[in-house]
Amino acid sequence: MSSPQEPYQPGHPGPGQQQLPQQPGPYAAAGPFGLPGEEPPARRRPRLWVVLTAIGGVLLLVGLGIVILVNVAGSATNQAKGLADGFTRLVIAGDSSKAYDDYLDPALQEQLSKESFISGIASLNMDDTCEPEYNDLQVATENGVKSADIVGLITCEGRNVDLAYRFEGTDELKMTNIKLRPAA
């Protein structure tokens, strides 16, 4: 039949078990850290991850700043080039009156009459063969006033025209200075 089982008593091996020798000290019994007498493993410190995360965050912010700066500067440059293109296309097409009304600042209109502007543009004999090329385009903002300086050349069949424009304004840029003359 079966033999009666004895209740478990601490420090005494049960049936079919061996007793391990007892060792003094804080880590006397085998526990979750390994064998008796071994020190627990050092706690993993996340310093490396913290440092890498901080460096990654800084690099991300720098990259984002560069993208924003390029877009802001690029949009101002594109706006200035668009103004210069629009004005030059009207002048080349012979629509000098619309160019005068739409692009010239009122202060420049006071200095240069519409009739003088139109006759001066007509004396350049520009036609459909003329193409503008902008050699230097500089934009700036100072005290909320935007400015754009454009220098270039209008190349026509058999002749060239030097150009230099200055646009200024807070919201809408208007031409404040213009130079169109036959190239030397």
Side-chain angles (χ1 to χ4, degrees):
M1 307 232 149
S2 66
S3 64
Q5 294 183 352
E6 295 181 25
Y8 173 75
Q9 294 181 11
H12 298 292
Q17 295 179 346
Q18 290 182 338
Q19 183 173 0
L20 294 174
Q22 293 289 328
Q23 296 183 1
Y27 305 104
F33 300 117
L35 297 175
E38 285 185 0
E39 292 290 322
R43 198 176 114 216
R44 293 178 67 190
R45 296 183 182 169
R47 284 187 197 154
L48 177 64
W49 289 110
V50 170
V51 170
L52 290 177
T53 302
I55 290 171
V58 168
L59 290 175
L60 180 67
L61 289 174
V62 168
L64 186 62
I66 289 171
V67 167
I68 290 171
L69 181 64
V70 167
N71 284 335
V72 167
S75 68
T77 302
N78 288 339
Q79 180 186 13
K81 188 176 184 306
L83 286 168
D85 269 342
F87 176 80
T88 305
R89 296 282 174 208
L90 286 174
V91 167
I92 290 172
D95 200 356
S96 299
S97 177
K98 182 167 177 54
Y100 182 89
D101 293 336
D102 291 352
Y103 288 91
L104 270 64
D105 187 75
L108 183 58
Q109 289 176 348
E110 286 180 18
Q111 296 173 10
L112 179 64
S113 71
K114 192 172 196 175
E115 293 76 24
S116 297
F117 177 79
I118 292 171
S119 66
I121 297 296
S123 70
L124 296 171
N125 297 320
M126 291 188 281
D127 56 26
D128 300 2
T129 65
C130 299
E131 286 295 321
E133 181 182 323
Y134 307 110
N135 303 328
D136 189 24
L137 197 146
Q138 303 211 359
V139 296
T141 302
E142 189 172 325
N143 297 328
V145 177
K146 301 174 192 171
S147 65
D149 292 303
I150 297 110
V151 176
L153 189 68
I154 300 174
T155 307
C156 303
E157 216 172 81
R159 68 196 172 287
N160 294 327
V161 176
D162 285 329
L163 70 85
Y165 307 143
R166 179 168 181 86
F167 293 93
E168 289 182 353
T170 52
D171 295 327
E172 182 182 23
L173 297 177
K174 290 288 192 173
M175 186 177 289
T176 59
N177 197 358
I178 181 171
K179 180 185 88 171
L180 285 171
R181 66 176 181 201

